[in-house]
Amino acid sequence: MLRLDCSPEYTEDHPVRALSIVSVGGLIAAGLAVATPAQAAAAPDIPVANVKAHLSQFQSIATANGGNRAHGRPGYLASVTYVKNLLDAAGFTTTQQSFTYNGATGYNLIADWPGGDTTDTLMIGGHLDSVTAGPGINDNGSGSAGILEVALQVARSNFQPDRHLRFGWWGAEELGLRGSTYYVNSLTAAQRANIGGYLNFDMIGSPNPGYFLYDGDNSDGTGSGPGPAGSAQIEATLASYFTSIGVPTRGTDFDGRSDYGPFIANGIPAGGIFTGAEGSKTSAQVSLWGGTTGRFDPCYHASCDTVTNINDTALDRNSDAIAHAVWTLADGGTTTPPGETVWSDGLETATGWTQGTTDTATAGRLERGDPAATSSSGVTTQLGTAAGGTYALVTGATAGASAGANDLDGGISTITSPSITLPTGTLTLNLSWYLAHLNNATSADYLRVRVVSGTTTTTVLTQSATATNKAAAWTTATANLSSYAGQTIRLQVEAADAGTASLVEAAVDNLSITRS
């Protein structure tokens, strides 16, 4: 990670959008599709022991070469050779690209996996060099080792995605993103246009880690703004993995401190993971992730950035997140934005949703709130995080004394949006949702999303409960609203505990309408 003393710090405690894209059974929909690529192969688990073995090799290389792996030093070239030999043996086509900076020769290593659409290339990269002060095992041996092991898993599984895969290890990042800038500048305009997305992984194993995602959609509203179109989808894909394992994430700005810089400067969508550098973890972040209020990495740019300077849990989670993003975005996923957003409500501010005046529910009514986590008999009934940011539409946001204290009870609860004036064109409703219940639920319990147009109300999603334990998990879905083009509508969410006494929770978040 490049030090920029004048750059904004990344320790702000802001929400980041998090969309979970998972398969859903039993979804009954009127024009609704679950937003998950059914044809995509499942991402493999990345053994953290393998990632740590690469880190041990980087440590040995540094130890044998003056204690570092810096630009122009023998330890850097030995690191390139180590990575290249493994990729060549695995079947990648590798290119060792040389450049000169400060009178010394540097190297980028590019590895292409045969196959896939080369006009829609997904690129994954991180810098391989260290500072001269130390071996750079977290900065950035961790990111380099993580993407190396993911690349090797691509080969072991003979993954043949729709998109072409290209991996890159950059030189001289610590001297100002020199290697990645040289690479991007060496491409023709057509070659740059063929890169549909770039994933950057720099410092993914900090010993006092945070879980930061580059803020592709500018949901934090701070710093340099959103990344190029498609960056939000990269962020959402990474966030969906962390949501699936119950780890909250926060945004970090595209502040120019790592190798995404030259890519976004050329309009290429980008995203990635970062666990923190020289900044200090706030007390709020300690509550979120554990650890201490000390620095994220006390050995940042120091001689003590060795193999002992790694948090194994963070390294494991983030390596798996890299694989999730690669498998999702390369095979059925896309960084192409779904269309022009004509309306959205992430529920982070109160926009005028109103509860129904004829609701029959006696407790746990739908409300805009900051949900508290609840569980019963090991089943998560309400998630403690929204799908994006802090707030969601949720049945009984507070936890109460027990899981059943503030769940939906006694009937039907509705909440309705303010008026939405739609343009002409092909329109799509996008949303995140879940319906959780225990095995005392019945098919009379449900979650519905409706469109209210004049005096007509049309259901576009119905999810009914069953007599099984169903844990809460954010899921995304879409519905075609083109028949409402040119009209003024309202969206209505309805949940019901209408059968026998049962434990039911529901939530909706990240609503938007796009035009294509």
Side-chain angles (χ1 to χ4, degrees):
M1 170 68 68
L2 172 70
R3 177 188 288 276
L4 290 178
D5 291 335
C6 61
S7 68
E9 194 48 78
Y10 43 74
T11 58
E12 54 268 0
D13 189 16
H14 294 298
V16 61
R17 293 192 183 277
L19 305 181
S20 178
I21 304 175
V22 297
S23 61
V24 179
L27 183 65
I28 305 169
L32 191 82
V34 176
T36 178
Q39 74 275 23
D45 177 74
I46 302 301
V48 72
N50 292 6
V51 182
K52 292 184 67 178
H54 300 313
L55 294 180
S56 293
Q57 290 296 320
F58 293 149
Q59 177 70 66
S60 296
I61 288 169
T63 300
N65 290 279
N68 66 64
R69 301 179 302 103
H71 168 72
R73 305 295 179 92
Y76 180 72
L77 181 56
S79 298
V80 172
T81 301
Y82 169 75
V83 175
K84 185 177 187 301
N85 287 345
L86 289 175
L87 295 168
D88 286 341
F92 282 83
T93 301
T94 62
T95 301
Q96 188 168 308
Q97 181 187 53
S98 63
F99 61 93
T100 301
Y101 182 72
N102 272 0
T105 301
Y107 302 93
N108 295 323
L109 179 64
I110 310 300
D112 286 270
W113 180 239
D117 182 1
T118 56
T119 67
D120 185 16
T121 295
L122 179 66
M123 193 161 189
I124 306 94
H127 75 90
L128 186 56
D129 65 313
S130 73
V131 294
T132 57
I137 298 305
N138 185 38
D139 184 16
N140 179 42
S142 61
S144 292
I147 63 175
L148 172 58
E149 188 57 29
V150 168
L152 295 175
Q153 288 288 346
V154 165
R156 293 182 191 115
S157 63
N158 194 30
F159 184 37
Q160 296 296 324
D162 299 333
R163 305 172 76 181
H164 182 69
L165 287 177
R166 180 175 300 151
F167 294 80
W169 288 262
W170 311 119
E173 186 267 1
E174 298 289 7
L175 300 177
L177 318 182
R178 303 299 173 178
S180 57
T181 300
Y182 182 88
Y183 170 76
V184 173
N185 289 345
S186 75
L187 302 175
T188 66
Q191 289 171 329
R192 287 193 292 269
N194 288 342
I195 301 175
Y198 172 70
L199 310 181
N200 190 74
F201 301 101
D202 188 354
M203 301 182 68
I204 67 169
S206 299
N208 186 28
Y211 292 89
F212 297 101
L213 306 180
Y214 294 119
D215 189 16
D217 61 0
N218 199 34
S219 56
D220 286 359
T222 61
S224 60
S231 301
Q233 177 66 17
I234 295 175
E235 180 190 1
T237 301
L238 287 164
S240 72
Y241 174 76
F242 288 100
T243 298
S244 75
I245 62 171
V247 175
T249 57
R250 293 293 182 262
T252 186
D253 193 39
F254 281 123
D255 58 8
R257 293 186 60 172
S258 194
D259 291 297
Y260 56 76
F263 290 89
I264 64 175
N266 284 275
I268 297 170
I273 298 168
F274 171 52
T275 54
E278 77 276 22
S280 293
K281 186 179 286 187
T282 67
S283 57
Q285 290 166 340
V286 171
S287 298
L288 197 66
W289 296 311
T292 71
T293 53
R295 296 171 68 186
F296 291 100
D297 184 354
C299 291
Y300 174 70
H301 285 187
S303 60
C304 57
D305 187 8
T306 67
V307 287
T308 63
N309 190 48
I310 290 290
N311 182 288
D312 287 357
T313 298
L315 186 69
D316 190 13
R317 289 169 171 171
N318 290 326
S319 298
D320 288 337
I322 296 171
H324 170 82
V326 170
W327 261 254
T328 301
L329 292 171
D331 194 20
T334 177
T335 53
T336 303
E340 174 193 6
T341 300
V342 298
W343 174 86
S344 66
D345 194 346
L347 303 166
E348 294 310 289
T349 59
T351 56
W353 289 77
T354 56
Q355 293 180 316
T357 57
T358 60
D359 290 358
T360 58
T362 58
R365 294 177 64 191
L366 281 162
E367 60 181 325
R368 172 187 168 270
D370 179 0
T374 63
S375 63
S376 179
S377 302
V379 178
T380 299
T381 51
Q382 182 165 286
L383 295 172
T385 55
T390 301
Y391 292 89
L393 302 177
V394 61
T395 50
T398 59
S402 65
N406 203 25
D407 69 315
L408 182 63
D409 280 324
I412 294 171
S413 176
T414 62
I415 193 165
T416 305
S417 75
S419 295
I420 305 165
T421 299
L422 298 176
T424 58
T426 301
L427 302 174
T428 302
L429 170 66
N430 311 275
L431 56 88
S432 300
W433 63 276
Y434 66 76
L435 177 68
H437 49 78
L438 298 185
N439 57 14
N440 56 1
T442 74
S443 59
D445 307 324
Y446 61 79
L447 170 67
R448 292 175 183 164
V449 177
R450 293 171 163 174
V451 175
V452 180
S453 177
T455 59
T456 302
T457 300
T458 304
T459 300
V460 294
L461 179 151
T462 299
Q463 176 67 36
S464 297
T466 59
T468 58
N469 291 331
K470 174 66 174 178
W474 284 111
T475 304
T476 59
T478 62
N480 190 332
L481 299 189
S482 300
S483 61
Y484 299 98
Q487 300 181 31
T488 297
I489 67 167
R490 290 174 295 152
L491 297 175
Q492 184 179 88
V493 179
E494 179 178 280
D497 178 5
T500 58
S502 54
L503 201 159
V504 176
E505 297 277 18
V508 171
D509 197 4
N510 284 343
L511 300 108
S512 68
I513 298 173
T514 55
R515 176 172 64 178
S516 58

